[in-house]
């Protein structure tokens, strides 16, 4: 179990790297990280249930302009990780749904709390970039490479520590809550899951359609044809 | 002598770390200088001159990170002119870099952040809801099918076309792709909604469908407003559901 938890926090670090400093390949998207967390702990279905909700919100959160978006890289890992760790500790069916609710809540809160941390990191990078320019002017042509390595190491380290602390605190606080109030949390999941999916998908729909009739019609076609095919094929 | 493919490839690979030191002061400046360094090493044999040009490139720069490769290629073409005594001068390079960055960011943001990323997410979500275990892999592959070629080949496109690339056919092609992906995204999103309402061919419980429709209506109402953000709405809805769940 210790090795798996270590792998979980390291995944948080890798996701944070993929989000901004390195490559931006979308490895950090909650559906991807949740699938990996699920495979790691043998709880794929639960992890993906949490990952789906976090994914719709991550997909409509844009890293554009001066706004620092919510940090769904660590949020996705923390959300799915919290859910699977709780469900592993409390293996009864109501706790499964309660863990899913607690996981999504932990993911959303950590994604929001991650914003000041990302801003702090970016401010630290200002000093790094000033040092880099001075070093280059002094003839150190390797300075940009060293600065990039330092920026990557800092982003990885901060994300790993954040994931470890948040997961630790989350499990400590949520385990007794899920154990004693699993029915209430399972009810909350039944209510919140469709609402969350609806809100997130509506934001995506709005981004795609942009008040164009043809695109709205295509959404309708996908809905009707998908509905019919699912009913007929299944 | 023109820059060899090896140098352009090295620049494309280094562009992956463009945002390694992203900060509020210079944004992608340091990453940009590091990505351009292979070209500067070939163009300026004199270390003092090379250091001067590298230092100039550590200044403020920002664009959408994938299309930055195209700007890198165009800047390398201008640096080549400067190094060989051509028409370009240092100030012109700084201006062109800034204009190209802003102009391509407008196209790149729309394509990669507003359209391709949500589209790839929808493909992944749809596959998971339809019972495929490889939805996450599909999300990753869908995004990278466009992202990686532009990042790696974009340097060559920019180098060959120079600053004129912004007025060339590339912009039109990227905009056409954006429109096509938005249309495909709307279609896939319809399938996602269908998969939520009739999972595995069995209609979801009425309560689930009503709440899904309620969430959709709330989302469509809130989408044009920047505040509260979708995440803040999610937190509010989660808190309300917790209160209701507790009272039942």
């Amino acid at each position: 179990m210790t090795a798996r938890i270590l792998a979980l926090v390291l995944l948080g670090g890798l996701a944070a790297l993929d989000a901004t400093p390195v490559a931006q390949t979308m490895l950090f998207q909650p559906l991807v990280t949740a699938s990996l967390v699920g495979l790691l702990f043998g709880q794929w279905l639960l992890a993906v249930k949490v990952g789906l909700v976090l994914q719709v919100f991550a997909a409509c959160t844009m890293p554009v302009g001066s706004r620092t978006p919510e940090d769904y890289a660590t949020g996705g890992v923390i959300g799915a990780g919290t859910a699977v760790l709780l469900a592993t500790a409390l293996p009864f069916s109501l706790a499964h749904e309660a863990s899913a609710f607690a996981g999504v809540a932990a993911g959303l809160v950590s994604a929001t709390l991650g914003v000041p941390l990302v801003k702090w990191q970016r401010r630290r990078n200002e000093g790094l970039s000033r040092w880099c320019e001075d070093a280059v002017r002094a003839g150190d042509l390797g300075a940009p490479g060293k600065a990039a390595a330092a920026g990557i190491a800092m982003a990885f380290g901060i994300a790993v520590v954040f994931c470890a602390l948040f997961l630790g605190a989350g499990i400590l606080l949520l385990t007794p809550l899920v154990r004693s109030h699993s029915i209430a949390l399972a009810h909350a999941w039944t209510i919140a899951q469709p609402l969350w999916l609806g809100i997130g998908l509506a934001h995506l729909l709005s981004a795609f359609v942009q008040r164009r009739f043809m695109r709205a019609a295509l959404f309708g076609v996908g809905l009707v044809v998908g509905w019919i095919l699912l009913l007929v094929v299944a | 002598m023109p820059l060899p493919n090896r140098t352009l490839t090295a620049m494309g690979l280094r562009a992956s770390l463009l945002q390694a030191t992203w900060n509020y002061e210079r944004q992608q400046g340091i990453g940009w200088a590091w990505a351009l360094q292979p070209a500067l090493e070939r163009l300026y044999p004199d270390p003092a001159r090379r250091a001067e040009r590298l230092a100039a490139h550590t200044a403020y720069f920002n664009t959408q990170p994938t299309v930055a490769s195209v700007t890198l290629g165009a800047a390398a073409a201008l640096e080549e002119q400067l190094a060989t005594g051509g028409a370009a001068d240092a100030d012109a390079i700084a201006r062109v870099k800034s204009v190209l960055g802003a102009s391509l960011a407008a196209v790149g943001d729309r394509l990669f952040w507003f359209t391709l990323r949500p589209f790839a997410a929808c493909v992944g979500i749809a596959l998971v809801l339809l019972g495929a275990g490889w939805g996450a892999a599909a999300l990753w592959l869908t995004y990278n099918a466009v992202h990686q070629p532009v990042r790696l080949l974009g340097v060559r496109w920019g180098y060959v076309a120079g600053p004129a690339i912004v007025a060339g056919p590339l912009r039109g092609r990227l905009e056409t792709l954006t429109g096509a992906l938005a249309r495909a995204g709307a279609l896939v999103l319809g399938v996602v909604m269908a998969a939520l309402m009739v999972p595995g061919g069995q209609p979801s419980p009425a309560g689930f469908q009503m709440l899904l429709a309620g969430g959709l209506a709330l989302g469509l109402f809130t989408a044009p407003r920047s505040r509260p953000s979708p995440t803040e709405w999610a937190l509010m809805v989660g808190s309300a559901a917790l209160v209701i769940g507790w009272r039942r």
Side-chain angles (χ1 to χ4, degrees):
Chain A
M1 186 54 111
T2 311
R4 284 186 205 169
I5 293 173
L6 186 66
L8 182 65
V9 293
L10 290 177
L11 179 63
L14 289 177
L17 286 189
D18 189 64
T20 305
V22 182
Q24 303 91 39
T25 67
M26 300 299 131
L27 176 82
F28 72 95
Q29 291 289 297
L31 187 60
V32 180
T33 51
S35 295
L36 293 173
V37 170
L39 289 174
L40 188 66
F41 284 86
Q43 299 254 22
W44 187 82
L45 213 58
L46 173 63
V48 165
K49 216 186 254 188
V50 173
L52 274 178
V53 174
L54 294 174
Q55 182 60 63
V56 291
F57 288 104
C60 55
T61 301
M62 306 296 171
V64 178
S66 59
R67 181 179 178 270
T68 308
E70 285 85 3
D71 182 15
Y72 276 101
T74 51
V77 174
I78 289 170
T82 303
V84 296
L85 286 172
L86 287 171
T88 307
L90 308 162
F92 50 96
S93 73
L94 269 178
H96 188 88
E97 306 240 300
S99 302
F101 182 83
V104 172
L108 291 170
V109 171
S110 64
T112 308
L113 291 180
V115 174
L117 205 59
V118 171
K119 286 182 176 173
W120 178 83
Q121 200 176 309
R122 290 174 173 184
R123 280 189 215 105
R124 298 282 74 74
N125 280 342
E126 286 173 8
L128 199 58
S129 69
R130 279 185 221 125
W131 165 81
C132 180
E133 186 182 350
D134 290 344
V136 169
R137 288 201 187 281
D140 180 4
L141 295 172
K146 290 176 199 162
I152 290 166
M154 183 167 71
F156 183 75
I158 288 171
V160 165
V161 171
F162 180 64
C163 281
L165 290 178
F166 207 100
L167 275 167
I171 296 303
L172 273 177
L173 291 171
L174 292 170
T175 305
L177 190 73
V178 173
R179 182 177 284 131
S180 55
H181 298 286
S182 57
I183 296 175
L185 291 172
H187 277 315
W189 172 252
T190 310
I191 298 164
Q193 189 205 15
L195 283 170
W196 277 330
L197 289 171
I199 293 171
L201 293 175
H203 276 84
L204 288 177
L205 182 61
S206 176
F208 284 135
V209 171
Q210 292 180 352
R211 298 181 184 188
R212 293 186 193 182
F213 176 75
M214 179 56 79
R215 294 181 190 179
L218 281 169
F219 169 73
V221 169
L223 177 62
V224 172
V225 172
W227 185 306
I228 292 167
L229 281 178
L230 279 166
L231 283 173
V232 171
V233 172
Chain B
M1 196 174 77
L3 292 172
N5 272 334
R6 199 179 49 184
T7 304
L8 299 176
T9 306
M11 288 166 64
L13 290 171
R14 284 187 179 209
S16 293
L17 302 187
L18 186 77
Q19 307 205 108
T21 52
W22 200 99
N23 62 81
Y24 295 109
E25 203 173 81
R26 295 156 202 242
Q27 304 204 349
Q28 299 164 339
I30 303 295
W32 166 274
W34 193 64
L36 194 64
Q37 206 169 1
L40 300 179
E41 276 168 8
R42 284 201 76 90
L43 296 169
Y44 300 102
D46 173 23
R49 179 80 176 121
R50 200 189 315 153
E52 184 196 321
R53 292 306 304 144
L54 188 62
H57 281 289
T58 61
Y60 169 88
F61 180 75
N62 199 39
T63 190
Q64 197 281 334
T66 311
V67 294
S69 291
V70 178
T71 320
L72 271 170
L78 289 173
E79 281 293 344
E80 190 178 63
Q81 285 184 26
L82 181 67
T84 53
D89 62 60
D91 288 343
I93 291 176
R95 277 197 305 276
V96 167
K97 194 175 111 178
S98 168
V99 170
L100 273 180
S103 180
L104 285 170
V107 185
D109 282 345
R110 270 207 309 277
L111 172 57
F112 289 95
W113 296 152
F114 296 142
T115 312
L116 180 61
R117 200 170 74 139
F119 173 73
C122 284
V123 169
I125 291 168
L127 286 168
V128 167
L129 290 174
L130 293 171
W134 45 279
L139 183 163
W140 190 81
L141 288 170
T142 304
Y143 187 82
N144 285 291
V146 182
H147 167 74
Q148 295 299 351
V150 173
R151 171 159 279 168
L152 293 172
L153 301 175
V155 179
R156 167 151 284 282
W157 301 339
Y159 177 67
V160 170
I165 192 146
V166 76
L170 178 71
R171 194 189 173 103
R173 282 181 201 144
L174 293 180
E175 280 173 353
T176 305
L177 181 61
T178 305
L181 284 172
R183 288 189 289 278
L187 189 71
V188 175
L189 205 54
V191 177
V192 168
M193 289 302 291
L196 282 169
M197 288 195 281
V198 277
Q202 298 297 318
S204 300
F208 181 93
Q209 293 201 27
M210 281 168 63
L211 287 167
L212 184 68
L216 199 66
L218 179 62
L220 287 173
F221 175 72
T222 59
R225 295 156 182 79
S226 60
R227 287 285 172 203
S229 71
T231 304
E232 288 162 344
W233 275 111
L235 284 167
M236 285 189 266
V237 163
S239 306
L242 188 62
V243 171
I244 296 167
W246 217 270
R247 287 188 166 188
R248 277 174 73 176

